[in-house]
């Protein structure tokens, strides 16, 4: 009887593990837009201290799939930004324009994004293949953060809860190396957690990060994500916190 009970427990555990096993692969419907809200806080400590809070609203649409890659168009619908540099403060809200000179100065830069498309090619395994920013905008470091926000990097094969895999994101100015872990599935969806480091193109470590993604059960696309990145930029400590919410 004892042996039968042990075999039952082992069989139940094996069945449960198999039920939780999943092969992550993005499978989103084409031409169906969804709304993405990104809240980002940047805190710079040093000779030029700065606190910046930014809220961005985007409409993201998978316009086509070529082979194993999706082409996404992300249109920036609105930006709200508050900056505090100690002796100087600035605010900008694209949905509520202001005649304040500082707000107009920010508007001159932000209007390069408002209503404009960023086109990203992402593999069904979550790897950034290519990105085209709007004309006049060139933020390579931001491209890495944008990709991190849209999706985690997925392993080649099926994984069980607790399994881990490595991934890299490269841009012109930074390289991000991560260790990813499939935590499991709950009522919200699949959960992936990542930890890693940020390097220059010459492999000099300049920071580290942690992140958590909640993936839609059917599409494996990010429903929500939060991440924190600590960096050392030219002697100044930079902390970036980002929270993303996606609504179909």
């Amino acid at each position: 009887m004892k042996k039968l009970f042990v075999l039952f427990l082992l069989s139940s555990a094996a069945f449960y593990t198999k039920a939780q096993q999943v092969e992550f692969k993005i499978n989103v419907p084409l031409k169906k837009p969804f709304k993405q809200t990104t809240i980002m806080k940047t805190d710079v400590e040093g000779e030029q201290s700065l606190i910046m809070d930014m809220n961005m609203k985007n409409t993201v649409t998978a316009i086509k799939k070529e082979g194993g890659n999706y082409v996404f168009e992300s249109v920036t619908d609105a930006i709200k930004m508050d900056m505090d540099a100690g002796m100087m403060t600035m605010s900008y809200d694209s949905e509520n324009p202001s005649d304040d000179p500082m707000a107009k100065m920010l508007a001159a830069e932000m209007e390069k994004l408002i209503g404009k498309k960023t086109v990203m090619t992402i593999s069904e395994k979550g790897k950034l293949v290519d990105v085209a920013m709007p004309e006049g905008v060139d933020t390579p470091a931001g491209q890495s953060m944008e990709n991190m926000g849209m999706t985690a990097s997925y392993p080649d094969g099926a994984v069980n809860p607790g399994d881990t895999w490595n991934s890299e994101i490269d841009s012109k100015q930074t390289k991000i190396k991560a260790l990813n872990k499939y935590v499991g599935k709950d009522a919200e969806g699949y959960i992936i957690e990542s930890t890693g480091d940020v390097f220059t193109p010459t492999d000099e470590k300049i920071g580290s990060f942690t992140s958590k993604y909640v993936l839609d059960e059917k599409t494996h696309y990010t429903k929500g994500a939060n991440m924190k990145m600590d960096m050392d930029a030219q002697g100044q400590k930079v902390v970036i916190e980002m929270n993303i919410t996606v609504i179909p």
Side-chain angles (χ1 to χ4, degrees):
M1 179 65 72
K2 185 177 180 180
K3 289 183 178 180
L4 289 174
F5 181 67
V6 171
L7 287 173
F8 172 76
L9 290 178
L10 291 174
S11 298
S12 298
F15 175 79
Y16 177 76
T17 300
K18 186 68 175 179
Q20 288 267 295
Q21 188 180 73
V22 60
E23 181 174 359
F24 292 110
K25 185 182 294 186
I26 297 174
N27 183 27
V28 295
L30 299 179
K31 307 297 179 68
K32 182 180 179 181
F34 54 86
K35 298 295 184 179
Q36 177 174 309
T37 300
T38 303
I39 299 174
M40 183 183 297
K41 180 177 181 179
T42 303
D43 190 343
V44 180
E45 295 182 8
E47 292 184 5
Q48 297 179 337
S49 295
L50 171 71
I51 297 175
M52 181 176 71
D53 293 308
M54 184 165 66
N55 188 321
M56 294 183 65
K57 299 177 182 178
N58 292 71
T59 298
V60 183
T61 308
I63 59 171
K64 61 181 177 179
K65 186 179 182 182
E66 300 175 333
N69 299 327
Y70 283 92
V71 178
F72 289 92
E73 284 186 350
S74 177
V75 178
T76 302
D77 300 316
I79 298 177
K80 187 178 185 301
M81 180 185 295
D82 293 299
M83 298 176 63
D84 184 348
M87 298 293 292
M88 179 177 65
T89 61
M90 292 184 285
S91 294
Y92 167 75
D93 186 347
S94 64
E95 295 180 306
N96 297 285
S98 170
D99 290 330
D100 179 80
M102 292 296 184
K104 287 186 175 181
M105 185 172 65
L106 284 175
E109 291 299 317
M110 295 300 104
E111 285 173 359
K112 297 176 182 178
L113 290 171
I114 302 298
K116 305 299 193 301
K117 294 178 182 178
T118 296
V119 180
M120 288 167 287
T121 302
I122 298 178
S123 77
E124 58 188 12
K125 288 295 186 177
K127 183 177 180 180
L128 180 66
V129 177
D130 188 36
V131 59
M133 303 293 286
E135 186 177 354
V137 178
D138 184 18
T139 55
Q143 293 169 17
S144 295
M145 290 295 291
E146 176 73 14
N147 185 55
M148 288 175 67
M150 287 190 68
T151 173
S153 296
Y154 303 149
D156 292 331
V159 287
N160 294 303
D163 286 349
T164 62
W165 63 94
N166 296 309
S167 63
E168 286 191 16
I169 301 173
D170 290 313
S171 72
K172 296 177 183 178
Q173 294 182 348
T174 58
K175 180 187 297 183
I176 297 173
K177 298 181 180 180
L179 175 66
N180 312 283
K181 179 180 180 180
Y182 168 37
V183 177
K185 183 177 178 292
D186 64 12
E188 294 296 317
Y190 296 108
I191 300 173
I192 292 178
E193 294 179 349
S194 302
T195 59
D197 297 313
V198 185
F199 300 85
T200 66
T202 56
D203 287 329
E204 176 188 357
K205 181 180 174 180
I206 56 175
S208 60
F209 76 92
T210 60
S211 60
K212 176 183 177 180
Y213 301 87
V214 179
L215 312 181
D216 182 81
E217 182 178 354
K218 294 181 179 180
T219 66
H220 293 180
Y221 194 80
T222 301
K223 291 175 61 176
N226 60 74
M227 58 201 68
K228 181 178 180 181
M229 182 178 290
D230 296 271
M231 299 178 64
D232 186 356
Q234 298 179 346
Q236 297 192 115
K237 181 181 179 181
V238 181
V239 179
I240 301 173
E241 296 183 47
M242 184 162 64
N243 290 278
I244 292 173
T245 304
V246 176
I247 301 176

